[in-house]
Every structure is written in structure tokens, then in C-alpha cells.
Amino acid sequence: MGNISAVTDAEFEAQVLKSDKPVLVDFWAEWCGPCRQVAPILDEIATAHGDKVTFFKMNVDENPVTPSSYRVTGIPTINVYHGGEVVKSIVGARPKAKLLDELAEFI
């Protein structure tokens, strides 16, 4: 899982929704091939931009409440939260350049 911490349903509000800075949450599962493709890319982005954005991963199989409350129906889904709200949602795997482009306003 690299240098991105896991977040659970129980911790989500305190760690993500109440954060002072933007928070990127990668909703993923062990069995998801595209999730495994995106993981090292997100690790690289987190290493480079972790000072501006907090990065978390949430296993949708172990934490079903939060994904369903945010209508996460496909994985990987990358949501960016700021001020307790979803401000960006990216569904599906992307190459690093495309992800950086889509996240440019936050990083």
C-alpha cells in the first residue's frame, strides 16, 4: 500500500471530512486489477504533493458504509474532499499524467 494510510468507516469523518486541507481518498479493493494499477501512481503523487493534500485509501470490502453513502459504485474511485464535501470525483484507472491533470487544482 506504499506510503498512503488506510482510513476506515469509523475514522472517515474525523480524518477526511474535518480536515483543514483537501483530502484525496482512493476507494479500492484487493481483487480490483485497475486499483492495483493506480496504487503506485497515487503513491508517487502522494510523495510529491503530500504537503498540499492528505492521501488515504479505503478498502470498500472492509468498509462498506462510506462508499455507499457517497455512491461509489465502481472502483477505483478517487474522491477529493474539501470542507466536508466531495469537490472532485474520478472513476476508473488513469495514467499518471491524466491523474495529475485532473488533480491540478488541488496539488
Side-chain angles (χ1 to χ4, degrees):
M1 212 159 65
N3 56 6
I4 301 178
S5 300
V7 65
T8 65
D9 283 335
E11 303 162 336
F12 191 81
E13 183 177 356
Q15 297 285 335
V16 177
L17 300 181
K18 294 186 175 176
S19 176
D20 293 336
K21 63 182 183 177
V23 180
L24 181 149
V25 179
D26 173 25
F27 293 94
W28 70 288
E30 292 282 347
W31 48 264
C32 169
C35 298
R36 288 195 299 272
Q37 289 177 318
V38 169
I41 296 168
L42 287 176
D43 280 342
E44 289 176 28
I45 295 171
T47 300
H49 302 284
D51 56 329
K52 298 180 201 93
V53 178
T54 303
F55 288 75
F56 286 113
K57 289 181 145 331
M58 177 173 275
N59 185 315
V60 298
D61 291 334
E62 296 171 3
N63 301 281
V65 175
T66 302
S68 68
S69 68
Y70 286 96
R71 294 179 179 84
V72 173
T73 56
I75 53 172
T77 291
I78 298 165
N79 280 353
V80 179
Y81 297 83
H82 195 240
E85 300 292 324
V86 177
V87 293
K88 183 80 173 176
S89 188
I90 302 167
V91 180
R94 305 274 198 290
K96 184 177 180 182
K98 179 73 172 150
L99 268 179
L100 285 170
D101 189 46
E102 291 193 47
L103 297 171
E105 64 190 285
F106 306 104
I107 55 176

